[in-house]
Amino acid sequence: MGRSVGRPIAAIAFAFAALAGAVALLRPADAEGVRLRPDDPATTARGAEIYAAECAACHGAALEGQPDWRTPGPDGLRPAPPHDATGYTWHHDDATLFALTKHGLAGLMEDAPPSAMPAFDGVLTDAEIVAVLSYIKSTWPAPVRARHDAVNEGAGR
């Protein structure tokens, strides 16, 4: 590989590493070390119950999300996205999903945009949040679960 090609690639790799580090620094400490348990039947059963009670009204009983979820509504907020394989939930590592659920966007990033997603801190315990997220992951097809596992590996999990 020539010098002219190697430098831009190295710069891009460095930029991605810096961005990943910045996101990790913004994540609350209580999210570190979180691991979902999609293969634990007791955890996913409890997660399904909690999802039905706390999440399905917005994200859909079948995790399908709200219609036109990529386009902001009249209030400027995006509708709830799907948590099935058609959405982007699996693009985020376990710790980020946990932090987003517990603390909302404002707890995950500085100058967070307005969001209809509530923070569940004080509503759900950490174990209940892990159960819900484990249930969601348990519904994904094997290739999507494998990609999510790779996301976790890339995040140092």
Side-chain angles (χ1 to χ4, degrees), residues 23-41:
V23 169
L25 289 175
L26 293 175
R27 244 190 324 237
D30 60 0
E32 295 307 316
V34 168
R35 293 293 295 183
L36 302 186
R37 297 189 300 274
D39 296 316
D40 179 344

Side-chain angles (χ1 to χ4, degrees), residues 27 30-38 89-102 108 129-130 133-134 137 140 145 148-153 155-157:
R27 244 190 324 237
D30 60 0
E32 295 307 316
V34 168
R35 293 293 295 183
L36 302 186
R37 297 189 300 274
T89 305
W90 63 268
H91 292 225
H92 304 292
D93 65 271
D94 292 352
T96 299
L97 293 172
F98 177 88
L100 177 62
T101 305
K102 183 170 183 175
L108 192 59
I129 292 170
V130 168
L133 295 171
S134 296
K137 183 172 180 174
W140 299 336
R145 286 178 63 174
H148 184 253
D149 291 341
V151 168
N152 280 322
E153 288 175 27
R157 307 253 155 262

